[in-house]
Amino acid sequence: MKNQIKVYYTDLANNYDDDRFNNTYGRFINSQEKKILNKILKINNKNNVLDIGCGTGRFLDFANFGVDINEAMVKIARQKYPNKNILVKDASDTGFENATFNIVISFHLLMHLDVEKTKKIIDEAHRVLQNGGRLIFDIPSKKRRKLVNYTAQNWHAANSFSKKDITKLLGDKWKLNNYYGILFFPIHRFPKKIRKLFIGLDNLFCQSFLKEYSSYLLFDIEKTGC
C-alpha cells in the first residue's frame, strides 16, 4: 500500500494544490483547519514545529520542519518554502533526535493508512516530542461514516476513528486536550448562492455536542508518558 500511495501522489503532485483546494469543498476545509490551528498554536517564534506528511506545504506556515515520503511533493514544498527544512522521510521514521519538537502536526495523512501504521506514526510523534509537547492531527469521523453508510472503495481515505477509538489507541502516553469537528454540512453540494449562509452554522455545529458527527475530527493531544 505504501508504494501505491507514493505513486498516486507522485502523479498528482503538480496539480495537487489546485485539484484538492481550489474548489468550494477544499477551501472550506482548509479555512476551518487553519482557523483551529491558529487558535491552538497562537503562532509565535517559540514553537518548534514538525509537519509530518507535509505534502506540498499546505501547513508549513505553521511549521519550521516538514517531512514527506514523496519526492515530487517535497520538491514543490521546497519551492514554496525555500527557508524551511523539508526532508524526504517516512512518517514513522523521521530521523530526528528524541524530544526535538514541542509541536507535531499531521493533516490528511492518517486517513489513508491502516491502524497499525497510524499507531507507528503516533509513536514516532511521541518520540520526537518534548514532555508536554502536542500532536495535532485530523481523521475522518467513524460516527459520521456510519451515519451516512459510507464505505471506502480502496486505501484512499479508508481510515476513520471515533473519539473512543482515539482514546483507546493513545493509552497512558497521551492525554486528550480537545477535539474539534470539521465540515458538518456538505456545503460544497449546496447551491453557490446559499453556501455562505451555512458557514457560520457549520462552525457552530462543529463546536457543539454533535461535533463527532462532523466529516472530520481534529485532535489535540499532549505527551504525558515516556
Side-chain angles (χ1 to χ4, degrees), residues 18-193:
D18 189 59
D19 181 80
R20 291 294 190 267
F21 300 103
N22 192 21
N23 55 62
T24 302
Y25 176 81
R27 286 195 296 268
F28 185 71
I29 289 178
N30 184 62
S31 66
Q32 278 196 324
E33 290 173 335
K34 288 185 175 179
K35 183 177 181 180
I36 294 170
L37 266 184
N38 270 312
K39 177 183 176 182
I40 295 173
L41 300 184
K42 298 177 182 176
I43 298 176
N44 61 67
N45 294 328
K46 295 180 181 179
N47 286 333
N48 191 27
V49 184
L50 170 64
D51 184 357
I52 291 181
C54 67
T56 59
R58 185 163 67 98
F59 289 97
L60 284 176
D61 283 337
F62 297 90
N64 47 339
F65 286 84
V67 297
D68 199 284
I69 198 171
N70 190 284
E71 295 92 340
M73 302 286 269
V74 166
K75 181 179 179 180
I76 293 171
R78 286 171 175 167
Q79 291 170 350
K80 292 160 67 175
Y81 294 94
N83 296 323
K84 304 280 185 175
N85 299 285
I86 308 168
L87 307 172
V88 178
K89 292 284 186 179
D90 189 289
S92 61
D93 185 16
T94 63
F96 292 104
E97 294 184 2
N98 294 351
T100 299
F101 302 97
N102 63 330
I103 302 285
V104 172
I105 62 176
S106 185
F107 283 81
H108 289 217
L109 171 65
L110 301 182
M111 66 174 66
H112 302 311
L113 310 175
D114 58 27
V115 175
E116 181 181 355
K117 184 66 173 181
T118 296
K119 188 177 187 306
K120 287 180 179 179
I121 292 172
I122 291 176
D123 287 344
E124 176 68 358
H126 189 278
R127 184 187 69 79
V128 301
L129 278 169
Q130 303 163 8
N131 289 331
R134 293 156 79 175
L135 169 62
I136 302 162
F137 64 95
D138 69 340
I139 196 79
S141 167
K142 181 181 285 187
K143 286 190 175 182
R144 172 62 168 260
R145 290 192 164 181
K146 285 185 177 180
L147 183 67
V148 300
N149 198 29
Y150 174 89
T151 302
Q153 301 301 309
N154 51 39
W155 60 265
H156 193 271
N159 198 8
S160 63
F161 283 106
S162 65
K163 177 190 174 186
K164 183 177 180 180
D165 293 332
I166 289 294
T167 302
K168 182 178 179 181
L169 186 68
L170 299 180
D172 58 1
K173 291 184 176 182
W174 302 90
K175 75 171 182 177
L176 175 61
N177 286 330
N178 206 344
Y179 73 102
Y180 307 82
I182 302 289
L183 192 70
F184 194 90
F185 296 105
I187 289 178
H188 58 295
R189 295 179 181 172
F190 296 166
K192 289 184 179 180
K193 291 182 179 180

